[in-house]
Amino acid sequence: MQRDRRAPDSGVLRHRLLAGAAVIALLALAGAARAQDAPVPSTPGADGLTPGSVYIEADAAGRDGDVITAEGAGSDRVLARFRNATLRAGAISYDLRQGIATADRQVEFTDPEGNVVFASHLELDSDLRAGVAVDFATRFRNGANLMAATAVRRSVNVNELNYAIFTPCPICDDEGNARQPSVSIQAEKVVQNEELRAILYRNAVFRVGGVPVFYLPFFAHPDPTVERASGFLVPIPSYDEGRGLSLEVPYLRVVSPSEDWLISPQLNTDVAPLLNLQWRRRFADGTVVARGGYTYERNFGDFDLDGDGDRESNVKFGDRTSRSYILSHGRFDPQGPWRWGFTVEQVSDKTLFDRYDVRDPYQDNGLYYGDQRRLISQIYVERQTARSYISVAAFSIQSLRLDPAFADTDFRDPQGFKVFENEGQLPLAAPLIEARWEPDGPVFGGRLRLRGSAVSLARDDYVGGPVLRPEIIPAGPTLGLPGIDSRRVSGQAEWRRTLISASGVRWEPFIDVRADLYSVDDLPPMLGLEEEAISRGRATAGLDISYPLFRQVAPGADLILEPTAQLSASTTSDLDPRIPVEDSQTLELDESSLFRTDRFPGHDLYEGGARLTLGARATLRWDQGRQASLFIGRSYRADEEPAFLTPVPDAPTQLYDPFGLAAQSSDWVVQGSFSPSDRIRGWGHATIDASGEIRRAEAAVDGRWGRRNLATVSYILDQSNPVPGPLNRNYEFVQLSGQQFVYGNWGVTASGIADLERDIITRSEVGLLFDDDCFRFEIGYRRDNTRVRPTGPSEGIYVRLNLATFGGTGY
């Protein structure tokens, strides 16, 4: 039985005089006397008070029955803490029995969730909700503010505010002075409906910078404390020469806390609308996201309608037909070591994403991912523990790239369309298996790791180099030849041990053995080869040596030198020309890959013989986090490796080294980074051949100045193919983006990508910008001149808008 609150030992007001005549009281709260099945818990809450207690700090305090009163002298305010809430005011009264509080003069109330209410007079009900407030103002946890002349709680779920203003923006500057919010809504009456999780406005006036710009007799938006709620999102306006004026109007339908739909029709003045849909569902152990779009329209763009050889700009052509896309993915991670997922990515038209400006179609959502302008559909399952990993997957690829032979030209097929990459030359991988395992504990004092992999690849159409080796590429016509199919099973064991001498030298002996088994068929029939079974093996032993050196060069500055060497010996490489090169066509030679036993990312190519790799890194650090670092390295081999040479696409009888590893000495690897301040940082990487020519390079620098000004410059170069021609895939790009504020919150923004190999600007934007703490608006001009667009350059006006609380022009 709970003790009676009127008993002498409960509800006691204990007070004592403090300096300045302050009174501190600790009171035991109690409700009406009633039977309870369990005793009152006495564990302190988040505010340090036990349940049923009140802390009051005031100049004067008293009690009359169940009502406690407290008052501050002059400008002093009373502080009261109860039920994880805080109340400050010039005068406070609290009814112990009913749990009702009344406060006057400079009232500030913070509820248990962190929301703050200000008023000149405030009445709180037993649920710690404002029943009546005069000169009401509240600040939500996300920074939004709501103010009103009066506020009344009409029911459990409805609050009514009269002559109110809502703004998602700060109403004070950094110095605490009042400021005009960038965006606000002023209304005659505002109703906060907690059941609908919405704020409703009557006679709403929208103001930008204090200036009225729009009026609605009725308006509603989600409560700022709600993470998601059904309703319209910020519209997305745009302009394109082919579509005309476009307006995308997203509507979010929240089905449940774990499911929603996004319906986003794109309305166009010159072509039929495109309906975009997105469905998201979160399950107990995973998530599924499905995007799609549909339209029924003719093709449009630059096309030769009358067959005279001259193409008209931005015209419709072809038959009206259904055009659609689907981009979906799912990932499930149930309890335990297993997880699985999938992606489904398909589009009906190779240029639908470009013509309708579909947002972010190329995303990395699965275990494997396609690069730019390639869609991948896959299913996979994984199992991972602390010592093991295995994955089984299958995938297919849809290409939206132009045929490399015609990418730099305006060549069209007999129907007048640009020619795209032949998807029959892209492989179907089913299955693709990767596995690794490590024993629990050292083996001969070192770490042992076992790896295994298997893959089956199938093609419909013939593909030459670099998949086929130069020795088996037919000299005559290849049209109609079958695509090569291959299967591979590999096993690998690696042992490595780390030893550190007393002088600080790091020694790492290692042993690596590998065996591969291939099955290849549909090789060019003129070679007289049928299904071929090929086996090979490789064994490597070596030693890594590094000796980090540290020296303080000045107060607060130090220099670190890290010389590294690797000496390894392998069995002679067995690079059978019948084995297609599927997973080793590209190699990024950098600081990390330079010291790998297998520098190639896959299995089809590998190195043999004796090799010596040398490198050194110097790092200078100063002034608490500022640093500059430089690495230089190179590898040497006992014999050349002519199998790494690849036919020049435009001159198949000539060979070149795309990797920088075929000669006895590799390319030089130069890599560095710097951050001389917290506002500037950069990095760079380059491979340089023996003649001093840069084969590949990449660099980027970004900087910030002022409070919000920023810029980024990046550069990328590939000059590995020495023979020019239409199939030469060398490239050189510079990318620039930045924003500069000119006056207050007004500024300019610009971005662009320049193709230095073709001497054109492929993409560019320049615009006017307004940005403060809660409102960002951009309007500008953009031009898209990428080689993949079949209709020529696209240009038009863009508008981007982002409002705090209301969201932005995106989804």
Side-chain angles (χ1 to χ4, degrees):
M1 183 75 76
Q2 186 184 27
R3 291 182 298 177
D4 193 323
R5 291 187 184 271
R6 292 167 292 185
D9 59 345
S10 67
V12 180
L13 175 63
R14 294 176 292 173
H15 58 89
R16 58 179 177 171
L17 190 64
L18 299 179
V23 176
I24 296 180
L26 184 65
L27 304 105
L29 289 178
R34 62 181 184 275
Q36 294 287 337
D37 296 329
V40 177
S42 59
T43 304
D47 56 3
L49 301 177
T50 58
S53 297
V54 174
Y55 173 86
I56 293 180
E57 184 176 330
D59 293 314
R63 175 172 177 175
D64 183 7
D66 290 325
V67 178
I68 301 170
T69 58
E71 188 169 355
S75 60
D76 294 339
R77 291 192 298 174
V78 179
L79 169 64
R81 289 195 292 118
F82 48 90
R83 295 158 62 184
N84 294 324
T86 302
L87 179 63
R88 291 181 173 89
I92 293 175
S93 67
Y94 188 84
D95 191 312
L96 292 171
R97 180 180 296 277
Q98 300 183 20
I100 296 176
T102 302
D104 289 282
R105 301 200 321 266
Q106 296 181 306
V107 182
E108 179 181 347
F109 173 69
T110 305
D111 69 14
E113 296 180 351
N115 299 312
V116 183
V117 171
F118 302 91
S120 61
H121 172 78
L122 179 66
E123 297 178 9
L124 294 174
D125 59 20
S126 58
D127 293 326
L128 298 182
R129 301 298 185 99
V132 176
V134 179
D135 299 329
F136 171 86
T138 183
R139 183 174 64 244
F140 298 99
R141 286 169 293 170
N142 64 355
N145 297 276
L146 183 62
M147 296 155 282
T150 59
V152 180
R153 188 169 182 82
R154 295 298 186 187
S155 66
V156 175
N157 296 314
V158 177
N159 297 317
E160 182 181 294
L161 295 87
N162 298 296
Y163 301 101
I165 297 176
F166 172 81
T167 176
C169 308
I171 57 176
C172 297
D173 59 21
D174 296 337
E175 299 177 355
N177 301 317
R179 56 170 285 185
Q180 183 70 248
S182 302
V183 179
S184 63
I185 306 174
Q186 180 178 332
E188 179 181 320
K189 179 174 290 187
V190 177
V191 176
Q192 182 182 23
N193 192 312
E194 297 177 5
E195 183 177 6
L196 296 177
R197 302 192 303 172
I199 296 181
L200 315 174
Y201 298 80
R202 181 186 298 173
N203 294 327
V205 177
F206 294 79
R207 296 178 179 269
V208 177
V211 178
V213 296
F214 195 63
Y215 167 80
L216 283 176
F218 176 81
F219 176 71
H221 67 77
D223 190 305
T225 60
V226 175
E227 291 186 9
R228 297 180 307 137
S230 298
F232 286 98
L233 306 182
V234 177
I236 308 170
S238 62
Y239 173 78
D240 180 83
E241 290 180 315
R243 299 191 314 271
L245 290 173
S246 298
L247 182 65
E248 195 166 340
V249 187
Y251 177 81
L252 180 66
R253 174 73 175 99
V254 177
V255 180
S256 70
S258 59
E259 182 181 6
D260 62 37
W261 284 86
L262 184 66
I263 306 166
S264 186
Q266 183 192 84
L267 309 176
N268 308 294
T269 57
D270 294 347
V271 297
L274 173 71
L275 177 61
N276 297 285
L277 296 173
Q278 176 179 279
W279 174 70
R280 299 187 301 180
R281 174 68 186 271
R282 185 175 63 250
F283 299 89
D285 57 2
T287 303
V288 173
V289 178
R291 289 176 58 190
Y294 175 82
T295 187
Y296 189 77
E297 180 57 282
R298 302 170 66 189
N299 214 329
F300 60 89
D302 297 346
F303 197 77
D304 183 6
L305 292 176
D306 49 20
D308 60 0
D310 295 328
R311 286 186 295 276
E312 291 79 12
S313 298
N314 300 310
V315 294
K316 294 183 179 181
F317 55 91
D319 296 329
R320 189 182 297 271
T321 185
S322 295
R323 306 178 190 276
S324 60
Y325 71 90
I326 181 170
L327 303 170
S328 64
H329 65 273
R331 184 173 179 84
F332 292 85
D333 192 359
Q335 187 175 6
W338 291 96
R339 56 181 177 266
W340 68 278
F342 69 89
T343 65
V344 178
E345 301 177 351
Q346 286 287 312
V347 63
S348 62
D349 294 29
K350 302 281 189 180
T351 59
L352 187 141
F353 294 150
D354 304 295
R355 287 184 282 116
Y356 287 92
D357 197 19
V358 176
R359 296 174 182 270
D360 299 326
Y362 312 106
Q363 298 183 9
D364 303 338
N365 293 312
L367 184 62
Y368 298 93
Y369 53 89
D371 47 14
Q372 195 73 0
R373 301 200 65 83
R374 278 180 175 170
L375 303 178
I376 184 169
S377 298
Q378 63 184 302
I379 185 169
Y380 61 90
V381 60
E382 297 176 280
R383 185 184 189 277
Q384 184 170 11
T385 66
R387 295 286 179 178
S388 65
Y389 172 82
I390 185 171
S391 67
V392 181
F395 64 80
S396 64
I397 299 173
Q398 181 184 16
S399 175
L400 309 184
R401 294 179 175 182
L402 293 178
D403 190 305
F406 311 110
D408 292 321
T409 70
D410 199 25
F411 177 81
R412 308 279 175 135
D413 65 14
Q415 287 74 40
F417 295 95
K418 284 213 166 187
V419 181
F420 285 82
E421 189 176 32
N422 181 6
E423 292 179 11
Q425 296 180 344
L426 300 178
L428 168 67
L432 176 57
I433 303 172
E434 298 283 347
R436 66 176 179 268
W437 175 81
E438 296 181 18
D440 187 7
V443 176
F444 299 112
R447 184 202 67 194
L448 176 65
R449 175 174 292 174
L450 303 180
R451 292 188 179 94
S453 69
V455 64
S456 175
L457 302 176
R459 283 184 173 84
D460 293 330
D461 299 334
Y462 169 83
V463 59
V467 175
L468 295 185
R469 304 289 181 85
E471 297 91 330
I472 63 172
I473 294 179
T478 58
L479 184 64
L481 294 181
I484 187 172
D485 299 334
S486 65
R487 292 151 294 279
R488 175 186 55 78
V489 177
S490 298
Q492 185 174 4
E494 178 195 14
W495 176 86
R496 180 179 291 266
R497 182 176 181 180
T498 300
L499 304 170
I500 300 178
S501 69
S503 59
V505 179
R506 183 185 182 97
W507 307 79
E508 290 192 14
F510 62 88
I511 298 174
D512 191 300
V513 294
R514 195 181 94 187
D516 302 323
L517 177 63
Y518 283 86
S519 174
V520 183
D521 55 22
D522 283 338
L523 288 167
M526 63 281 298
L527 300 177
L529 301 174
E530 297 182 357
E531 183 173 349
E532 301 293 317
I534 307 162
S535 61
R536 66 184 186 184
R538 187 219 63 201
T540 302
L543 177 67
D544 286 337
I545 307 173
S546 60
Y547 188 23
L549 302 171
F550 176 89
R551 182 175 181 178
Q552 186 173 7
V553 295
D558 53 66
L559 177 65
I560 302 174
L561 299 178
E562 301 174 83
T564 304
Q566 181 187 86
L567 179 63
S568 63
S570 303
T571 55
T572 303
S573 60
D574 181 11
L575 302 178
D576 193 300
R578 295 171 297 174
I579 297 176
V581 181
E582 300 282 6
D583 58 9
S584 305
Q585 296 180 16
T586 61
L587 169 64
E588 187 68 31
L589 197 59
D590 57 18
E591 180 182 1
S592 60
S593 64
L594 187 64
F595 288 92
R596 290 178 189 156
T597 305
D598 290 318
R599 294 191 178 105
F600 288 94
H603 293 77
D604 298 333
L605 294 179
Y606 70 90
E607 297 180 83
R611 301 183 302 278
L612 173 64
T613 304
L614 302 174
R617 170 173 289 278
T619 303
L620 179 64
R621 304 182 304 185
W622 74 98
D623 198 15
Q624 297 181 349
R626 303 182 183 188
Q627 62 89 24
S629 180
L630 177 66
F631 170 84
I632 299 177
R634 196 181 197 189
S635 182
Y636 302 88
R637 67 170 62 253
D639 302 301
E640 294 182 351
E641 186 55 84
F644 293 164
L645 299 177
T646 301
V648 174
D650 292 291
T653 59
Q654 301 182 41
L655 302 177
Y656 78 106
D657 180 10
F659 312 116
L661 290 176
Q664 285 185 283
S665 57
S666 74
D667 286 353
W668 287 97
V669 175
V670 181
Q671 193 167 323
S673 64
F674 64 93
S675 54
S677 73
D678 58 354
R679 292 178 170 267
I680 300 175
R681 62 180 179 178
W683 61 272
H685 164 253
T687 56
I688 305 171
D689 63 23
S691 64
E693 296 291 331
I694 296 177
R695 188 187 302 269
R696 292 185 178 91
E698 191 172 1
V701 177
D702 61 70
R704 296 174 177 270
W705 60 99
R707 189 165 70 94
R708 292 172 295 172
N709 303 316
L710 55 92
T712 299
V713 180
S714 60
Y715 173 81
I716 186 170
L717 167 75
D718 187 333
Q719 298 291 338
S720 57
N721 186 347
V723 179
L727 297 180
N728 187 304
R729 307 308 297 156
N730 290 348
Y731 54 80
E732 186 177 10
F733 289 97
V734 171
Q735 183 172 355
L736 169 69
S737 63
Q739 64 182 32
Q740 170 68 51
F741 286 86
V742 180
Y743 178 77
N745 293 319
W746 291 92
V748 294
T749 179
S751 65
I753 302 176
D755 186 341
L756 304 183
E757 184 76 19
R758 297 190 298 150
D759 197 24
I760 63 171
I761 297 178
T762 57
R763 291 181 180 176
S764 59
E765 288 185 359
V766 59
L768 182 65
L769 165 70
F770 177 87
D771 186 8
D772 66 2
D773 294 322
C774 73
F775 174 64
R776 182 181 177 96
F777 174 78
E778 287 183 54
I779 183 170
Y781 167 85
R782 68 179 176 185
R783 177 182 173 87
D784 188 338
N785 193 30
T786 57
R787 67 177 67 182
V788 295
R789 292 189 63 91
T791 60
S794 171
E795 53 189 12
I797 304 297
Y798 73 87
V799 176
R800 298 190 183 106
L801 177 65
N802 193 293
L803 301 174
T805 300
F806 302 118
T809 53
Y811 51 87

